[in-house]
Amino acid sequence: MSKLWGGRFSKNTNKMVDAFNASIEFDKRLYHEDIRGSIAHARMLGNCGIISIDEATKIIAGLKDILVEIEEDKFDFSIALEDIHMNIEARLTERIGTAGARLHTARSRNDQVALDLHMYTKKELVEIGELLLKFEETLLVTAQAHQKTLMPGYTHLQRAQPITFAHHLLAYFNMLQRDFRRLLGVWQGADIMPLGAGAIAGTTFPIDRFAVAKELNFSEVYANSMDAVSDRDYILEFLSFASILMSHLSRISEEICLWSSTEFGFIELDDAFATGSSMMPQKKNPDIAELVRGKTGRVYGHLQAMLVTVKGLPLTYNKDLQEDKEGFFDTIDTIKFSLAVYSEMIATMKVNVEKMEQALAKDFSNATDLADYLVRKGLAFREAHEVVGKCVAHAIQAEKFLPELTLAEYKTYSELFESDLLVILRPEECVAARTSYGGPAFSENAKQLIRGKAVLEKQLEDLDSLKQRL
Ligand code: ARG
């Protein structure tokens, strides 16, 4: 296969070089953006008088036919043609002759690949946004159903204070809501149009970059041709967004693994979202949660790889930049899969309300409430902390929990204790009393749910407006 750039060469490319150089195996997924970008470019070339309208029309029709060929799986991708850009261009010229050979006027693959990637990022952001908001909704719905479900909250993985399952899930909702905010930021970086930068220094032809931007729904045009072809910030931003999102999914994964263990028994995954063991017949494993946790490392790796790739690159395009794709695509696939499966896994899991509540009957997570009780009776918090610490030590020694100590026992540590202390030790009282803004109190949680729904509504609108700008 003769090369589109073969003019100055007198030998065929070494087979290994062809194989090593080619990106077609992974960049073929950009075919749609490549064709759409080329159509906009051809139309602009025609309208600006750089090629004839007749040639532009032929090119556009030819490109549309090629789109069909690819979608019907009738397109022969060739490694010798290196990448998606040259595969499509070569096929166009094969189909329509010289007009096809004019398409690359005032353009380089450097600005072309940048254009494709910007468009592709935008498209994927919309799909990811949909999955993200779906998961947010699942969390809200599940939280709604568990407003009264009490459970221990943990710090250092030690029982800390009573909370509700709703409160716990809303913490994740709030993380995801920030992830969506970050997604909107990634969009801004992707929404800049690079075509017309040429290989590095623009072009001598009277092109109209703003017309291309308009046709392709970009709100900005790169103001510097060198920046346009070397910028990969939007990919770094995407990978950062994805890494933070995965950190959230990984943390909930860890909790799913813990909660579904016999030791906790707080939840049971639906059979459709768990797996068995080939040897141990009793096993029901949370593989999906473990895999999401595991894949988080992979996504972090892609961010790291990209940061290192751009670190020492002189301006402008260097072939190193072809390495921007595989990790980026893999990240997209990974976060989409993780979000999709998580929505269903959380929606279908069984929550063992009793197990959660029983856990609270046998712990000291109400100790802070007892200290607060003494504070309300006039003691300084530090002193109250000391007194209750002694009560806890005493209870442990006596193999009891706080509600089981007698008033006489309490009185040996402070005269301020009265029989009303029993009420405040009840887990539901501990939760109900935490009415500070953002706290787990039932009343406060109800407000958080209302706020959450409003946030979700607004984000659905934001997503809709992105869809209009694809
Ligand atoms: N396949 C290349 C990439 O993904 C396209 C740009 C190649 N440009 C070049 N001058 N070799 O980066």
Side-chain angles (χ1 to χ4, degrees):
M1 180 94 49
S2 68
K3 300 280 195 246
L4 294 187
W5 39 255
R8 61 105 70 214
F9 289 80
S10 52
K11 273 191 182 174
N12 284 335
T13 318
N14 179 293
K15 284 270 161 291
M16 280 191 292
V17 173
D18 267 345
F20 197 58
N21 204 26
S23 52
I24 187 64
E25 282 310 325
F26 46 87
D27 68 15
K28 60 165 83 128
R29 71 156 90 184
L30 297 172
Y31 75 90
H32 200 277
E33 287 68 31
D34 199 72
I35 289 176
R36 190 169 161 222
S38 287
I39 289 175
H41 182 64
R43 196 180 335 269
M44 180 278 289
L45 290 177
N47 289 341
C48 293
I50 300 166
I51 61 174
S52 72
I53 295 287
D54 182 48
E55 283 163 337
T57 309
K58 275 199 190 122
I59 292 173
I60 293 169
L63 287 167
K64 286 183 178 162
D65 291 340
I66 291 174
L67 183 64
V68 175
E69 278 183 9
I70 297 178
E71 285 184 337
E72 289 180 351
D73 222 3
K74 289 181 185 140
F75 190 95
D76 229 352
F77 290 104
S78 143
I79 283 193
L81 285 167
E82 234 178 280
D83 53 28
I84 187 65
H85 325 295
M86 293 201 294
N87 267 271
I88 290 175
E89 194 192 321
R91 177 74 183 124
L92 181 69
T93 306
E94 193 177 277
R95 287 184 67 116
I96 68 167
T98 317
R102 292 196 192 279
L103 170 62
H104 214 52
T105 315
R107 181 176 82 167
S108 154
R109 276 183 297 151
N110 298 353
D111 55 348
Q112 188 180 354
V113 71
L115 176 67
D116 292 2
L117 280 173
H118 279 78
M119 288 162 63
Y120 186 75
T121 307
K122 287 169 69 180
K123 178 177 83 184
E124 290 295 340
L125 283 174
V126 166
E127 290 183 16
I128 292 163
E130 262 161 15
L131 293 165
L132 191 57
L133 296 189
K134 168 120 195 297
F135 187 36
E136 280 187 17
E137 196 198 342
T138 304
L139 287 168
L140 276 183
V141 169
T142 316
Q144 177 94 37
H146 287 283
Q147 294 183 71
K148 294 260 144 61
T149 305
L150 301 169
M151 71 182 288
Y154 295 78
T155 66
H156 311 265
L157 207 51
Q158 306 289 321
R159 301 276 177 84
Q161 291 171 342
I163 53 163
T164 61
F165 192 46
H167 197 57
H168 202 124
L169 293 174
L170 285 178
Y172 283 106
F173 170 82
N174 279 280
M175 295 175 218
L176 287 160
Q177 163 243 300
R178 285 195 300 276
D179 286 320
F180 187 82
R181 223 154 60 187
R182 269 183 286 274
L183 180 151
L184 296 178
V186 182
W187 174 279
Q188 278 179 17
D191 195 23
I192 318 175
M193 209 291 295
L195 203 74
I200 161 170
T203 173
T204 55
F205 294 98
I207 57 169
D208 183 352
R209 299 183 65 205
F210 294 90
V212 173
K214 188 154 185 265
E215 170 163 349
L216 299 176
N217 279 330
F218 279 94
S219 44
E220 255 184 88
V221 174
Y222 275 93
N224 178 291
S225 64
M226 294 178 73
D227 182 35
V229 288
S230 53
D231 178 28
R232 293 295 182 275
D233 290 359
Y234 58 103
I235 292 187
L236 288 171
E237 283 166 352
F238 180 88
L239 294 172
S240 310
F241 147 77
S243 295
I244 299 173
L245 167 64
M246 284 305 284
S247 82
H248 300 149
L249 295 182
S250 189
R251 292 178 84 167
I252 198 169
S253 294
E254 172 64 16
E255 306 212 274
I256 297 285
C257 294
L258 286 171
W259 292 342
S260 60
S261 68
T262 310
E263 285 70 12
F264 277 79
F266 287 179
I267 59 147
E268 186 183 345
L269 293 174
D270 189 80
D271 274 3
F273 288 88
T275 49
S277 153
S278 59
M279 186 183 197
M280 300 166 281
Q282 84 283 12
K283 289 299 286 292
K284 179 167 174 182
N285 296 329
D287 283 30
I288 296 305
E290 292 168 89
L291 268 175
V292 168
R293 190 178 58 191
K295 284 176 191 292
T296 301
R298 188 156 127 181
V299 170
Y300 290 1
H302 294 322
L303 169 62
Q304 180 67 10
M306 195 61 212
L307 284 167
V308 176
T309 299
V310 292
K311 174 180 174 292
L313 281 192
L315 297 187
T316 45
Y317 181 84
N318 300 271
K319 194 67 177 236
D320 314 45
L321 289 177
Q322 183 165 286
E323 288 294 307
D324 61 5
K325 289 174 200 62
E326 285 159 289
F328 176 50
F329 294 159
D330 183 63
T331 300
I332 290 171
D333 297 344
T334 304
I335 61 176
K336 283 168 85 173
F337 220 121
S338 303
L339 284 168
V341 76
Y342 248 87
S343 289
E344 289 204 38
M345 192 169 81
I346 297 289
T348 54
M349 75 187 181
K350 178 169 167 267
V351 181
N352 292 332
V353 175
E354 271 127 63
K355 267 280 200 165
M356 287 182 174
E357 292 182 356
Q358 276 162 18
L360 285 169
K362 298 243 170 292
D363 73 8
F364 290 95
S365 61
N366 46 7
T368 315
D369 295 80
L370 195 56
D372 288 355
Y373 166 90
L374 290 176
V375 169
R376 278 194 293 275
K377 303 244 168 184
L379 209 57
F381 181 75
R382 268 299 145 240
E383 289 160 21
H385 186 288
E386 174 76 15
V387 169
V388 176
K390 293 219 157 70
C391 297
V392 168
H394 175 101
I396 292 172
Q397 191 100 54
E399 294 186 10
K400 290 182 182 174
F401 292 97
L402 291 177
E404 292 153 12
L405 297 183
T406 62
L407 189 55
E409 284 174 297
Y410 275 120
K411 289 272 190 201
T412 61
Y413 297 102
S414 169
E415 274 305 323
L416 293 171
F417 284 121
E418 304 289 346
S419 57
D420 57 351
L421 71 84
L422 270 181
V423 181
I424 61 104
L425 289 178
R426 296 214 297 260
E428 61 273 29
E429 290 303 321
C430 300
V431 169
R434 299 192 136 63
T435 52
S436 51
Y437 179 81
F442 307 109
S443 56
E444 197 48 40
N445 236 255
K447 286 185 213 155
Q448 288 183 37
L449 271 168
I450 292 168
R451 180 190 161 276
K453 278 180 206 149
V455 168
L456 180 57
E457 288 290 310
K458 167 79 176 63
Q459 294 188 329
L460 284 164
E461 278 168 29
D462 289 344
L463 182 64
D464 226 45
S465 84
L466 296 192
K467 259 189 233 166
Q468 310 307 320
R469 287 153 61 196
L470 278 180

